[in-house]
Structure formats: C-alpha cells, structure tokens
Amino acid sequence: MFNKQHPLFLWFVWLYCALAGLAWGHLPGIWATAPAMLLPILIPQLPRASRRFIAALIYFLVGSFSIVHGSAEFFGAGAGDGGGLADGMGLAAGMGWSFWIVSSILLALPWLIARNPLLGVLAVLIDALPPLGLIGWLSPLAGVGVLFPGMGVIGVILLLIAWSVWSVDTWGTWVAAGVILLAFTANVIAIFHPISAPKGWFGMYTHTGELVTPLQGVESAVNAGQRALQHSKSVVVVFPETIAGHWLPGTQAALFHEYQQRRNKAQIWLIGAVTIGKTHRWDSVEEYAHGMGKSGHIVAKTTFPVPVSMWAPWAKDRYGATWYEPVQKIAGQRIFTSICYDQALSWVWLEAVWQHPDVIVATSNVWWASQTDIPAIEEENTDAWARLMGAGVVMARNG
C-alpha cells in the first residue's frame, strides 16, 4: 500500500486533479467527464483539510479557466443588451477573472470537510445541488453516464454507493467490485444497443453574432427559417437558443411567413427566442406546429440562466428562472429541453433523469464563447447525462 503521508502521494493527487480539470474540453466526448469520478476517492485520502482544499481548488481552476474569457465577453455584452452590465464601466475583463477565482474557491470549500469517503460524497452533493450548485459546473457526478448507460436514477445511486463504501474493509470492497461489474455489463449492452436521436429530428448550427437591435433579431430569425426550409424531410427542426432575438410581433410575423412556406406541412419548428413576461424576460423555446398562429406556443424556458449577467433578481428586467423544467411530448417523443447554461449544472440534469425523457433537446447560443472550451464542456455534459438516461440528443447551437 502507498503511504498517504508521503509528499509524493500529495503531489500525485494534486497533479491528477489538474489533469482531471484539463480533461474537460480536451478529451473526446463523454470521456472528458470520466477522470473527475476519481476525485471523491483520491481527495479524501489527503489527511489535512488545507491539502484537500488545494486539490479541489486546482481541479476547478484548471477546468474552468475558460470562464475568464467567456465571462468577460458575456458580461461585457450584457446578454444581448449591448454591454449593459459591465462594458460601460470597463469592468468586463475584471469580472471574468474575479468570477473564475471566486467560483473556484467556493466550489473547493466543501472539500475541507471531506476527510473520509462518505464526507467526500457529501462534498460532491454540496457542489452539485443549490445553492452552491447554481455555479456547480464540472461536477464529478457528470461521469455517471460513462459507467451506467441507460440506468438512470439507479446509476446515480450506484455511483454514490461505490464512492461511499469502497474503502470499508472486506464488504465495502466487494460492493465496489459489484458496482464495477454492473457498470461493465451496462456498457457491453450499450455497445450492442446504441442510442441515437429519433429519425427526422434536425438540430441547426448557425454562426450569428450578438443580436442587439430588434431588426437584427428579425433578420436572424428569417435566415434561420430559410435554412429550416431546406430540410423538408425533417419531422422536427430545432433552432439554436435565442436565434430569433426577442419574440416581438415583427419577428413573429416574419418567421411565421417562412414557416408557412414549408413543403412538409406536418413539420414542427422549435425556435429559440427571448419572451417577455410581466416581471421577467425568459430564455424560451417557441413551437410552431400545424394549426398554430404566428405567436406560437412556449414549450420550454431555461431552468436557470447564467447568474449575474442574466439571472439577477435584484435588478429590473432581467431573466427569470423556472427552477424545474418538465418533460414535454412533441412529435410522439418525450423531450427534455436543456438551454445553454443548464447543460453545465448537475442538479438540472438530475431533474431530467427523474423524468425519463426519450430525447434531449439541447440548445445554446455561445457566440461569446466560441474561442473557449465552454461549448465543448456543455456538449460533454449533455452527451454524458443523455447516455445515463438512454436518451437521444438533438443539439442546436449558434456560435
């Protein structure tokens, strides 16, 4: 057995945490989520709280470094308000650095108490669930889909059990070995029964910049609608997040005119737009289907928008949070819609796991983060959690 007190073990754990953080956005597909699953095993073996804190801090700092550039762009843009939050004050860059450092420190704090495997699991859950879970990206929980494809809630429970008891003499080791055997079996089954998106569902990828004026929203919506018309054989066309800008009468009229030109009259469009409520704006998905009018029908709203830049309950005219997004039935499929920032949050995905969707509709608008790892991290999370649920993924992205 290795000596946990030896300096080499300490440096090994710290190095592993750095590599696990670096894996996000760099390893292919769902495998980017896998290295973090060892953190609840390795970090609790460090005898001092300060060393555990440093290990977790290294992981979150390395894994979330894209926040520096992404937050500066996003806060500077003001989430479509032309720089309303920070740009005018010249604070956008500083906010990026501050958000990266402060969020990493906050997410590392629970690991101070992780002096044994059970408390390590508690640290994972504190990071993953609100209130800290509101910034709880890079959770080790995300890798559960790598181990237990198609097993849903049971897969989550098995991973938590394995993390909790693996070090218990004799029976704990046997339980962990049994969990590994189940994981191996589930992956063998997944190889022979791959999951894919339903036939005829198409996710659109676009490259439109920030939409500042209503006219830009109309132009963007029409361009996306014309692209959708090229896919006449598709049953459902999914548009990127907020690609239509604000869902104003002019935008509705222009896009509905395009929708009426479709050759496949049964085709459904799911359109990303900003809708206006009584007290909040909403990052929404509008549905156009046969028999509907130009105003469409809201089928989803973001569970939790980006904090500060979008979700700011202390400010006027910001974005609302639904906190729970129910599964909807569209074109005969039970769909769960995950909008941009939601894709990074494990508590939102746990809500989806509980509802057993058939399809994950994942939309994002990441023009502000196209030069960072943020789009890849969102996609890795989405694919890993969808694999756990045995659900197909239809992804639509602007950026």
Side-chain angles (χ1 to χ4, degrees), residues 218 248-255:
V218 173
L248 301 173
T251 305
Q252 297 171 21
L255 188 56

Coordinates of all heavy atoms in Angstrom, one line a residue, residues 218 248-255:
V218 N -35.0 40.0 -36.2 CA -35.9 39.7 -37.3 C -35.0 39.0 -38.4 O -35.4 38.0 -39.0 CB -36.6 40.9 -37.9 CG1 -37.4 40.5 -39.2 CG2 -37.6 41.4 -36.8
L248 N -40.9 39.4 -30.6 CA -41.8 40.6 -30.9 C -42.7 40.3 -32.1 O -42.4 39.5 -32.9 CB -40.9 41.8 -31.1 CG -39.9 42.2 -29.9 CD1 -39.0 43.3 -30.3 CD2 -40.7 42.5 -28.7
P249 N -43.8 41.1 -32.2 CA -44.7 40.9 -33.3 C -44.1 40.9 -34.7 O -44.4 40.1 -35.5 CB -45.7 42.1 -33.1 CG -45.7 42.4 -31.7 CD -44.3 42.1 -31.2
G250 N -43.1 41.8 -34.9 CA -42.4 41.8 -36.2 C -41.7 40.5 -36.5 O -41.7 40.0 -37.6
T251 N -41.0 40.0 -35.5 CA -40.2 38.8 -35.6 C -41.2 37.6 -35.8 O -40.9 36.8 -36.7 CB -39.4 38.5 -34.3 OG1 -38.6 39.6 -34.1 CG2 -38.5 37.3 -34.5
Q252 N -42.2 37.6 -35.1 CA -43.2 36.5 -35.2 C -43.8 36.5 -36.7 O -43.9 35.4 -37.3 CB -44.4 36.7 -34.2 CG -43.9 36.6 -32.8 CD -45.0 37.0 -31.8 OE1 -46.2 36.9 -32.1 NE2 -44.6 37.3 -30.6
A253 N -44.2 37.7 -37.2 CA -44.8 37.7 -38.5 C -43.8 37.3 -39.6 O -44.2 36.5 -40.5 CB -45.3 39.2 -38.8
A254 N -42.6 37.7 -39.5 CA -41.6 37.4 -40.5 C -41.3 35.9 -40.5 O -41.2 35.3 -41.5 CB -40.3 38.2 -40.3
L255 N -41.1 35.3 -39.3 CA -40.7 33.9 -39.2 C -41.9 33.0 -39.5 O -41.8 32.0 -40.2 CB -40.2 33.6 -37.8 CG -39.6 32.2 -37.6 CD1 -38.5 31.9 -38.6 CD2 -39.0 32.0 -36.2

